[in-house]
């Protein structure tokens, strides 16, 4: 099996791949670096600012994030400190057309490995902290819709059904949210 030749594709709400938990990467290989670089390309092509491996049906703990200040490729990321609160409107490349206000920590500390296995420790705030928490949620099979309030759920119900049934999706709706992860 070679992932090098496999074209990765962003999975959409309803795909069971999005609910499967990612396993920690035990030993980093060329294959992982290859997947990370394909993930970054997919993220940029979709005008997104983050992407997690389960979104491309790879169940290993890997994410890419770029909010405009440089690309991070992180393996086995873990939030080890949460501080404060912020509420931003988030969209998700796997739930196109849905935008939800989500409360998250405003400052976090993340430990991870870079693509060559070197330990990384990151202090992130604001938008970057939000994106990292969103991507790390994906590794646990968690999606933005899981944060939806009762009223949000009513609001997005129709859209989620469209995505699930893969009925004709209004593409214009796909970019409604500025923050797409
Ligand atoms: Zn997402």
């Amino acid at each position: 099996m070679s992932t090098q030749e496999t074209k990765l594709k962003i999975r959409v709400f309803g795909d069971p791949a999005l609910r499967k938990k990612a396993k920690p990467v035990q030993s980093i290989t060329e294959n992982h670096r290859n997947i990370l670089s394909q993930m970054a390309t997919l993220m940029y092509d979709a005008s997104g600012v983050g992407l997690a491996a389960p979104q491309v049906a790879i169940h290993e703990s890997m994410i890419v994030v770029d909010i405009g200040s440089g690309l991070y490729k992180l393996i086995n990321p873990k939030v080890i400190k949460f501080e404060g609160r912020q509420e931003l409107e988030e969209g998700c490349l796997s739930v196109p057309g849905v935008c939800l206000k989500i409360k998250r920590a405003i400052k976090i500390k993340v430990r991870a490995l870079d693509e060559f296995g070197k330990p990384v420790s990151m202090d992130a705030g604001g938008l970057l902290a939000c994106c990292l928490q969103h991507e790390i949620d994906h590794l646990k099979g968690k999606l933005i819709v899981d944060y939806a309030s009762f009223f949000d759920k009513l609001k997005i119900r129709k859209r989620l059904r469209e995505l699930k049934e893969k009925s004709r999706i209004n593409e214009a709706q796909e970019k409604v949210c500025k923050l797409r992860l």
Side-chain angles (χ1 to χ4, degrees):
M1 186 202 83
S2 165
T3 323
Q4 254 134 336
E5 291 135 39
T6 316
K7 261 247 191 263
L8 299 178
K9 204 178 86 208
I10 297 179
R11 305 305 171 104
V12 172
F13 185 80
D15 191 317
L18 293 168
R19 292 303 194 180
K20 224 172 126 188
K21 289 191 177 76
K23 291 202 179 86
V25 177
Q26 300 299 346
S27 79
I28 301 167
T29 64
E30 197 52 44
N31 198 28
H32 294 100
R33 286 187 281 275
N34 189 281
I35 292 167
L36 281 164
S37 98
Q38 282 193 58
M39 283 168 58
T41 305
L42 278 173
M43 171 184 78
Y44 291 128
D45 284 351
S47 320
V49 292
L51 193 70
Q55 289 180 279
V56 292
I58 301 255
H59 296 99
E60 291 189 88
S61 184
M62 296 188 281
I63 63 171
V64 293
V65 169
D66 186 353
I67 59 160
S69 55
L71 174 63
Y72 294 98
K73 295 173 176 171
L74 301 176
I75 295 175
N76 300 343
K78 219 180 166 136
V79 183
I80 55 158
K81 208 162 124 194
F82 295 90
E83 255 179 75
R85 271 263 173 271
Q86 64 178 337
E87 191 174 28
L88 295 176
E89 218 166 55
E90 296 178 29
C92 178
L93 294 172
S94 294
V95 196
V98 168
C99 216
L100 291 171
K101 268 193 178 164
I102 295 172
K103 288 194 186 83
R104 299 191 190 272
I106 192 164
K107 268 176 75 183
I108 56 170
K109 193 181 199 61
V110 173
R111 289 241 168 92
L113 298 174
D114 73 6
E115 62 181 325
F116 300 102
K118 203 179 113 201
V120 185
S121 177
M122 270 172 81
D123 288 297
L127 187 55
L128 184 58
C130 166
C131 295
L132 287 165
Q133 289 171 85
H134 178 120
E135 300 316 331
I136 292 170
D137 271 355
H138 274 302
L139 299 176
K140 300 171 188 152
K142 190 165 183 180
L143 301 171
I144 53 169
V145 296
D146 302 340
Y147 291 92
S149 66
F150 177 74
F151 292 107
D152 282 339
K153 279 191 185 119
L154 290 179
K155 215 172 64 191
I156 64 175
R157 196 169 52 182
K158 187 166 164 268
R159 177 64 176 175
L160 293 184
R161 198 164 50 225
E162 274 175 17
L163 294 173
K164 225 171 181 166
E165 290 167 359
K166 295 188 177 44
S167 51
R168 271 188 60 82
I169 289 164
N170 179 1
E171 302 223 342
Q173 236 190 308
E174 296 203 357
K175 292 192 177 173
V176 289
C177 208
K178 260 191 258 165
L179 199 57
R180 288 140 36 83
L181 303 138

